[in-house]
Each structure stands twice: as C-alpha cells, then as structure tokens.
C-alpha cells in the first residue's frame, strides 16, 4: 500500500452512513422526523418501497433496518448490500468493493487492477475411499492412538476430546503412481441425505518442523459442494439432533467441544458439522432441511470471511422458514415486502392486522429507547438492562403473534444463535491454544512466586 491510499479508518472518519445510503439509492424520509433520520427506497414510479427502510442512529455513523437489531456502519453496509452500488460485479471481494465505493465518494482516484482468471482442472477423478489406506483411532488400544499425536499436539486437542470424536476422524494414506505416499488427518465428508456415504475428506497435514503451519485442503475429487463433516460424541444422528454446531474446520469443532464440554454436558448429544472452508448453499440446505426443529449454533470464524459465511447461513435459514408459509390472500401483501434473504419479521408492518401492528409498534418504541439510553452515556447499566428486557418481551409477543398470523408452526420456525470465540481470537482453536499458553505461563511463574513468599517469611535472600 502506498502512502496515498486511504484506509478503513479514513473512510469511517470522513464519510457518514447517510452518504452511503444516498449513494445506494435511498432518500431521506421526512415523515419520520429528525430524531432518528430514516431513509427509504422508491420504485420507478416514485412510490416508496414498503418494508425497505433504514434508521440512522444518534451518532450518525450507523444504521439499522427495523425490526432487525443489527447495526451497519459504512463498511458492513457496503459489504452486505453490494448490489446497490455501481462498482459491484459478480465475484468481486467485499474489501475491494468498499475501497472502490468509498474512494469514489471521496473523489480519490484508485488505480485499475488486472483481473486474473484461473482455469479449473478438468481431469480429476471422483473421490474413491478405496484409493486410501485407512488407520482408525481405537480408544481401547494405545498403539493405534500414537500415530495421531503429531496431528493433534500442535492444536492443543487432548486425548479426551480425541476419545469423544474417535468415530469421526482417521488417518488416510494415498499412494501415488511414482511410489510416494502422503498421510493426512482426514475428517470424512458425508451427504446429509445419505450419512453412511463418504464422498471426500477434509484433510489436515502434520505441523512443519519450523512451525510455519501445515497443509490443509480437501482430498482429490471430493464432493465438497454437498458433502460436509458430521460428528457427534454420542453418535447422535443428524435428524435426531436438537442442537447443530457449524464450523469451518473439524479442528475448530473439536476445540469448541474441549472448551465447553465441562459446563455444557448436553454437548455430547449435539451434532457438529464442518464445511471444510467455504460453506456452500447445498451444504446449508442439506443440513437445515433435516434439522428444522433444532437450534442452529453458528460458530464460524470472526474474520471478514467468517462473518460473510454466517450471514449467508442466516439468509438460507430465513429462506427455508419462509418457504414453509402458505401465501394466502391476507398474508400475500406482507410476504411480498420481505426482502430477499430476510426473516419473516422483515416485512412492512403497516400491512399486518391492527393488533399485530400495534404489537410491533410497542417493540420498535422499546428498541429506540434502548438505543437512546445506550448512546446517551447518562443511564445506569441496570436501567438499560431493564429496558432491554422489556424490549425482548415486546419482541417475543410480536414474534408469537406474527407466527400465528402466518400459520407457521413453532417447530418449523428455525432458531439460530451466533457464537464467537473470545476476542482477539479469530477461531475456536486460537482460543483453545491461548488458554493453554496462559495456563503454562501461570504454572511456570508459580514456583518463582512461592520462592519469593518463602524468602519474605524467612528473611533469607539469595
């Protein structure tokens, strides 16, 4: 980066969310007043698009789309609504789009970049497990466990966690025509509709001697668009699970289990899935369609890619829930105002029955009060917490009423929760390793502290 290029901090300091909303095609809605300016879209006839409104927060740096509580700043708004901007092209990265849009708004020239297109290989054979020599982990045989030491040691994953998932990983050795062979830790990829069928491997290599990392990828010919790793310590079948935990790798899933299994005994019965990298729509649909009544725990990484994966999974959950609603004449107008990928509570509340619209109004008023109390800096935390409880109760009442209106059974209203490792850790294995380093440091310092205390009592100094 040269000295003239602007950073995200520059964009956040020099642009407001209102600049970006206007550039995205929204205009100020004066009917809502100016305490919290709102922006709406209009169609080709100049009429307001129902249910498509963003409200700007008190500091002018963020906005939200009621009834959702998620806040967007200029960076996250551009990344999550790329289609609104002239620079958007299929396949463009979110960071590149933010740079192009923000530099244009600031009249800052940005150099053109050559586009590279990599042609995929077309001579790859489909995955066949018979091409591999498989070595399994036997909890009753220590000799079988020793070969896994080099794959789990540098990740901090202990033997108890390996026992718990012993059915769901193995060592796979592939012999090449030139006589060479490669052994990797393999997490079998399975199809949700045919869980007994292995359609590939999520592979992880041994740590390099210089500590520079290790190989990670998929076995050649793997069906990684539909297949994913599915594991459960108690052997729970996908269709019987009440909790599904989503990860980007098998290592992260095992790390999460090791971190939380002591305080959450139900984790043994849960089902853990790994997409092995970039989650696909087919992977999401395959799992969710068989686990509608289960709670989905979204545990992807906290980097930009992980946040994008999490949002894609939420949209797919919303789409599946909406697809189960019958579009009767009284519901049709409301359903049509729900944005693509939005939840069932994202439509135009003005099109709901009077009682339900009133219920929504109470929730929105409570939400605005929470925002005001948080941003003022003058309210006691307990008062804010009390107001948040009121807001949550109002939302539950609205959600229950909305479900009744839409004829949606509670078991089909798929629930989800986003779980993130402790900052600044990017993923669950980072958090596990950070905890181990902290324990090691504490243990090494303890004798020194005890010696110092002994010296203080006896008055003896070395």
């Amino acid at each position: 980066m040269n000295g003239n290029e602007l950073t995200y901090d520059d964009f956040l300091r020099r642009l407001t969310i209102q600049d970006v909303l206007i550039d995205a095609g929204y205009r100020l809605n004066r009917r809502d007043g100016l305490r919290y300016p709102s922006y709406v879209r209009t169609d080709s006839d100049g009429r307001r698009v129902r249910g498509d409104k963003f409200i700007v927060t008190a500091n002018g740096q963020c906005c939200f789309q009621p009834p959702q509580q998620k806040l967007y700043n200029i960076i996250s708004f551009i990344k999550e609504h790329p289609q609104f901007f002239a620079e958007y092209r299929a396949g463009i990265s979110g960071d590149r789009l933010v740079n192009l849009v923000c530099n244009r708004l600031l009249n800052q020239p940005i150099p053109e970049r050559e586009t590279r297109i990599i042609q995929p290989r077309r001579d790859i054979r489909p995955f066949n497990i018979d091409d591999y020599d498989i070595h399994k982990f036997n909890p009753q045989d220590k000799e079988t466990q020793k070969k896994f030491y080099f794959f789990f040691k540098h990740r901090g994953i202990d033997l108890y966690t390996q026992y718990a998932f012993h059915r769901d990983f193995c060592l796979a050795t592939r012999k090449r025509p030139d006589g060479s062979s490669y052994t990797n830790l393999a997490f079998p990829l399975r199809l949700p509709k045919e869980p007994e069928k292995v359609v590939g491997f999520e592979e992880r290599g041994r740590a390099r001697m210089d500590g520079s990392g290790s190989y990670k990828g998929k076995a050649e010919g793997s069906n990684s668009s539909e297949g994913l790793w599915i594991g459960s310590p108690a052997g729970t079948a996908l269709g019987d699970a009440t909790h599904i935990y989503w990860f980007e790798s098998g290592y992260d899933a095992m790390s999460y289990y090791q971190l939380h299994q002591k305080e959450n005994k139900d984790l043994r019965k849960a089902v853990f899935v790994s997409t092995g990298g970039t989650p696909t729509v087919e992977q999401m649909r395959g799992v969710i369609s068989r686990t509608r009544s289960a709670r989905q725990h979204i545990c992807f990484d906290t980097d930009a890619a992980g946040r994008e994966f999490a949002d894609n999974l939420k949209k797919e959950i919303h789409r599946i829930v909406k697809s189960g609603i019958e579009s009767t004449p009284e519901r049709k107008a409301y359903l049509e105002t729900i944005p693509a990928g939005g939840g069932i509570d994202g439509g135009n509340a003005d099109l709901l029955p009077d009682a339900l619209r009133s219920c929504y109004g109470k929730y929105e008023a409570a939400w605005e009060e929470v925002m005001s109390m948080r941003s003022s800096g003058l309210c006691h935390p307990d008062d804010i917490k009390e107001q948040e409880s009121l807001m949550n109760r109002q939302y539950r009442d609205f959600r229950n009423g909305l479900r009744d209106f839409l004829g949606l059974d509670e078991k089909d209203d798929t629930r989800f929760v986003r779980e993130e490792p402790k900052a600044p850790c990017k993923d669950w294995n980072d958090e596990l390793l950070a905890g181990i380093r902290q324990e090691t440091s504490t243990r090494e310092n303890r004798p020194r502290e005890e010696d110092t205390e002994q010296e203080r009592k006896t008055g003896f100094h070395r």
Side-chain angles (χ1 to χ4, degrees), residues 344-363:
I344 60 170
D345 55 4
N348 181 10
D350 292 341
L351 300 174
L352 294 171
D354 291 345
L356 198 50
R357 189 167 63 247
S358 173
C359 194
Y360 171 77
K362 292 177 182 176
Y363 160 69

Side-chain angles (χ1 to χ4, degrees), residues 210-229:
D210 60 1
S212 60
S214 59
Y215 161 76
K216 65 177 180 180
K218 303 275 181 65
E220 189 173 279
S222 294
N223 180 357
S224 52
S225 61
E226 296 178 281
L228 31 64
W229 177 72

Side-chain angles (χ1 to χ4, degrees), residues 321-338 405-408:
V321 171
K322 186 181 174 185
S323 67
I325 299 172
E326 183 184 357
S327 180
T328 61
E330 61 177 353
R331 301 170 187 159
K332 188 172 185 293
Y334 176 79
L335 290 173
E336 288 179 346
T337 62
I338 297 176
F405 170 65
L406 296 176
L408 183 67

Side-chain angles (χ1 to χ4, degrees), residues 445-458 460 462:
N445 291 332
R446 190 174 299 141
R448 193 178 308 159
E449 293 171 358
E450 291 174 352
D451 289 346
T452 304
E453 179 66 14
Q454 187 66 23
E455 291 171 356
R456 189 185 65 77
K457 290 179 179 177
T458 60
F460 172 76
R462 291 186 179 88

Side-chain angles (χ1 to χ4, degrees), residues 17-18 21 26 32 35-40 51-74 76-77 80-81 360 363-372 374-375 391:
I17 191 67
Q18 300 185 51
L21 282 168
Y26 288 83
D32 283 356
R35 184 190 180 200
Y36 293 102
S38 68
Y39 284 77
V40 297
D52 195 357
K53 177 173 73 173
F54 282 91
I55 298 176
V56 177
T57 56
N59 60 11
Q61 295 302 311
C62 298
C63 67
F64 67 96
Q65 188 171 35
Q68 302 297 321
Q69 299 181 24
K70 182 175 182 179
L71 291 175
Y72 299 97
N73 62 16
I74 61 171
S76 57
F77 183 87
E80 300 198 21
H81 305 86
Y360 171 77
Y363 160 69
E364 186 171 306
W367 196 96
E368 288 186 0
E369 191 59 28
V370 169
M371 291 301 300
S372 178
R374 285 176 183 169
S375 59
M391 176 190 72

Side-chain angles (χ1 to χ4, degrees), residues 143-154:
E143 288 303 314
T144 67
Q145 301 166 15
K146 290 179 180 177
K147 291 186 177 180
F148 292 87
Y149 175 84
F150 301 101
F151 294 91
F152 286 120
K153 174 63 177 176
H154 71 293

